[in-house]
Amino acid sequence: MNRRTPLAPATGLMAALALTLALALALTGCSSGDGDRSSGQPELSVTGGYMPRPVSDLGAGFLTITNSGDTADKLTSVTGDISDDITIHKTENQKMMEVTSFDIPADGRLDLERGGSHLMFMDLKHRPQQGENVSIELHFEKADPIEVELPVKETTYNPAQQ
Ligand code: CU
């Protein structure tokens, strides 16, 4: 007997159903994709870094960390060859204080700038001159470490006043 003939209409129906199902899935995928575009990762980039030329064995560093991801992160520590004692400081009432971390909000940024939060370099192993670059590595709670070259600027340099 020939089983193809009686099955033919059913096959057509199955194909139609499969197509409908595929369309439904595509639509579902689309609308759920809207509410769930979370990558679950911070996406960090560093800009505007510099170190004012130190006049003692103490140095400061400034930079901006931008988080274009939808997950917050924290700057937790900084390392570098130029000093074994690099810490992160905030400034309150014109006094600086060491902190254990800085928040980097989701879709936001952390500004380390003159008069505010900064990187603090103690016991510099050498005093870098203007035009040199100081290599540091930023460490985060979630994201991978980021290596940054801080150009050494004149001692009074302040990009906010350029
Ligand atoms: Cu400080």
Side-chain angles (χ1 to χ4, degrees):
M1 67 183 128
N2 184 349
R3 303 185 64 177
R4 275 185 200 162
T5 310
L7 277 177
T11 306
L13 185 62
M14 288 302 283
L17 277 172
L19 185 63
T20 308
L21 195 60
L23 281 172
L25 282 173
L27 287 172
T28 307
C30 207
S31 61
S32 85
D34 230 21
D36 186 29
R37 63 188 177 86
S38 163
S39 60
Q41 292 292 324
E43 286 168 37
L44 307 180
S45 58
V46 179
T47 53
Y50 70 95
M51 170 184 279
R53 185 178 63 80
V55 292
S56 66
D57 64 352
L58 205 66
F62 303 94
L63 46 81
T64 295
I65 302 171
T66 302
N67 184 359
S68 55
D70 49 21
T71 301
D73 206 341
K74 286 175 195 287
L75 174 66
T76 52
S77 68
V78 181
T79 52
D81 290 339
I82 199 163
S83 166
D84 292 329
D85 185 3
I86 308 175
T87 49
I88 52 180
H89 286 190
K90 66 176 179 180
T91 304
E92 262 180 23
N93 302 322
Q94 296 175 1
K95 281 189 185 143
M96 61 182 188
M97 263 174 288
E98 187 176 342
V99 295
T100 51
S101 68
F102 279 125
D103 289 334
I104 310 167
D107 276 318
R109 62 188 217 190
L110 167 66
D111 284 310
L112 305 185
E113 53 192 0
R114 289 271 193 186
S117 303
H118 54 276
L119 312 178
M120 196 85 208
F121 299 75
M122 311 288 281
D123 297 321
L124 291 171
K125 293 177 187 172
H126 84 275
R127 215 177 288 179
Q129 295 304 305
Q130 197 172 326
E132 270 183 57
N133 279 329
V134 172
S135 296
I136 55 169
E137 196 169 65
L138 307 176
H139 302 265
F140 306 96
E141 186 180 67
K142 299 189 181 109
D144 290 336
I146 298 179
E147 259 183 58
V148 182
E149 300 277 325
L150 296 180
V152 178
K153 304 285 195 179
E154 60 192 287
T155 305
T156 55
Y157 179 76
N158 186 350
Q161 293 167 358
Q162 297 297 300

